[in-house]
């Protein structure tokens, strides 16, 4: 059983949301399937058969923070998971490791399952060990509970470029050595129905974090049925 998470970056038509929910509900999967839509859509998933997650949360439980999303309310809206530190948050919104750690803490307090994203830019490709070690540093001496981590090389997100087999294998070995074998670790970056099975066959890979392919219903159906 693998953990298949859709980082569902859907900004289009509500009718597509309803069609997606209906079609995915009709499919059986032996995997843990999680869909993380943008916060505005979470209520629309009230009848979704699989798990629901958020793409981000605020670093404080609740309060007057106009425009931010309280982890406490996300939980009450039916989210079981929350993605934290996605590279788009790190790069576009300038989220730093300490803020990401704060978000992890508050999500954990709210009994949300955090999916913490890590990964290096193309520029830092040769320095990936250093980048990943820094991103993980605050987590290393903490009780990680049921936290999930996702390794997404930023140069692979949205590009169609997948790391070579040996790159994936050594990255997963390195990260699992730091975090401990027990902590689930997902791979993300240009996953589709054609490459999903072979990526999942590597040792140490507990699941996938999927962007674009989760927005194609036929693709996502194939992936969750692996
Ligand atoms: P793609 O699957 O589109 O490369 O996106 C990956 C991603 O951002 C998942 O978090």
């Amino acid at each position: 059983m693998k953990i298949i998470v859709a980082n569902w970056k859907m900004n289009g038509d509500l009718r597509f949301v309803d069609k997606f929910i209906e079609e995915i509900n009709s499919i059986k999967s032996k995997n843990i399937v999680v869909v993380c839509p943008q916060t505005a859509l979470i209520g629309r998933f009230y009848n979704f058969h699989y798990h629901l997650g958020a793409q981000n949360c605020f670093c404080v439980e609740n309060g007057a923070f106009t425009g931010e999303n309280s982890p406490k309310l996300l939980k009450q809206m039916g989210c079981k998971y929350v993605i934290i530190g996605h590279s788009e948050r790190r790069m576009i919104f300038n989220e730093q490791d300490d803020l990401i750690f704060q978000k992890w803490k508050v999500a954990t307090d709210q009994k949300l399952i955090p999916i913490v994203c890590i990964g290096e830019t193309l520029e830092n490709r040769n320095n990936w060990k250093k980048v990943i070690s820094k991103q993980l540093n605050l987590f290393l001496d903490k009780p990680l509970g049921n936290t999930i981590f996702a390794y997404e090389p930023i140069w692979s997100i949205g590009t169609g470029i997948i790391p070579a087999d040996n790159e994936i294998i050594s990255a997963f070995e390195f990260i699992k050595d730091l975090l401990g074998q027990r902590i689930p670790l997902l791979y993300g970056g240009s996953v589709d129905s054609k490459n999903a099975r072979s990526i999942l066959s590597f040792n140490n890979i507990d699941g996938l974090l999927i962007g674009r392919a989760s927005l194609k219903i036929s693709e996502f159906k194939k992936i969750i049925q692996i």
Side-chain angles (χ1 to χ4, degrees), residues 7 9 86 88 152 156-158 189-191 209-212:
N7 183 8
K9 300 177 232 180
H86 188 273
E88 284 147 18
E152 296 201 294
S156 176
I157 297 177
S190 294
V191 174
L209 180 54
I210 301 161
R212 286 160 304 157

Side-chain angles (χ1 to χ4, degrees), residues 23 31 46 51 108 124 126 134-136 147 164 180 202 217:
E23 293 216 20
N31 298 302
Y46 67 92
H51 300 294
T108 307
N124 278 318
N126 293 331
K134 181 177 167 292
Q135 289 171 337
L136 290 179
T147 303
F202 294 129
I217 296 175

Side-chain angles (χ1 to χ4, degrees), residues 10-224:
M10 209 294 290
N11 299 305
D13 193 312
L14 270 185
R15 280 169 302 188
F16 176 71
V17 181
D18 297 339
K19 185 169 155 51
F20 176 89
I21 294 170
E22 194 185 321
E23 293 216 20
I24 300 303
N25 276 351
S26 72
I27 294 294
K28 290 224 176 334
S29 171
K30 59 179 170 37
N31 298 302
I32 297 172
V33 177
V34 183
V35 173
C36 304
Q38 60 164 293
T39 312
L41 289 177
I42 283 170
R44 195 82 179 184
F45 277 74
Y46 67 92
N47 61 351
F48 191 48
H49 292 176
Y50 292 99
H51 300 294
L52 199 53
Q55 294 178 0
N56 179 34
C57 68
F58 193 48
C59 59
V60 175
E61 198 173 279
N62 59 15
F65 303 104
T66 302
E68 291 294 338
N69 291 298
S70 140
K72 190 172 182 170
L73 271 178
L74 290 172
K75 173 87 183 178
Q76 290 177 59
M77 288 298 290
C79 290
K80 185 170 176 187
Y81 296 79
V82 59
I83 298 173
I84 290 177
H86 188 273
S87 62
E88 284 147 18
R89 301 295 316 174
R90 291 179 189 262
M91 314 272 295
I92 304 168
F93 300 96
N94 201 25
E95 290 193 4
Q96 304 293 318
D97 294 330
D98 51 349
L99 175 68
I100 288 160
F101 182 69
Q102 268 318 110
K103 290 186 175 193
W104 168 81
K105 246 165 96 180
V106 81
T108 307
D109 288 347
Q110 291 304 318
K111 310 260 182 304
L112 285 160
I113 300 177
I115 303 168
V116 179
C117 299
I118 54 173
E120 78 286 358
T121 58
L122 184 58
E123 212 179 9
N124 278 318
R125 190 166 173 182
N126 293 331
N127 273 329
W128 62 271
K129 284 190 181 173
K130 201 169 151 207
V131 174
I132 286 170
S133 304
K134 181 177 167 292
Q135 289 171 337
L136 290 179
N137 189 39
L138 288 169
F139 294 94
L140 294 184
D141 54 348
K142 307 296 181 303
L144 293 173
N146 48 12
T147 303
I148 297 170
F149 286 81
Y151 172 58
E152 296 201 294
I154 296 169
W155 46 272
S156 176
I157 297 177
T159 60
I161 303 168
I162 296 269
D165 293 359
N166 64 325
E167 290 179 297
I168 299 190
I169 291 166
S170 43
F172 271 69
E173 257 173 34
F174 179 77
I175 299 165
K176 284 251 170 164
D177 277 350
L178 287 175
L179 292 173
Q181 299 301 316
R182 190 189 68 76
I183 303 298
L185 184 55
L186 316 182
Y187 169 80
S190 294
V191 174
D192 60 27
S193 66
K194 292 190 190 72
N195 58 30
R197 193 179 292 276
S198 76
I199 296 171
L200 284 174
S201 69
F202 294 129
N203 234 353
N204 283 332
I205 297 199
D206 300 295
L208 302 167
L209 180 54
I210 301 161
R212 286 160 304 157
S214 68
L215 293 174
K216 295 189 190 121
I217 296 175
S218 60
E219 279 283 284
F220 194 56
K221 277 182 176 172
K222 283 184 201 154
I223 298 171
I224 65 177

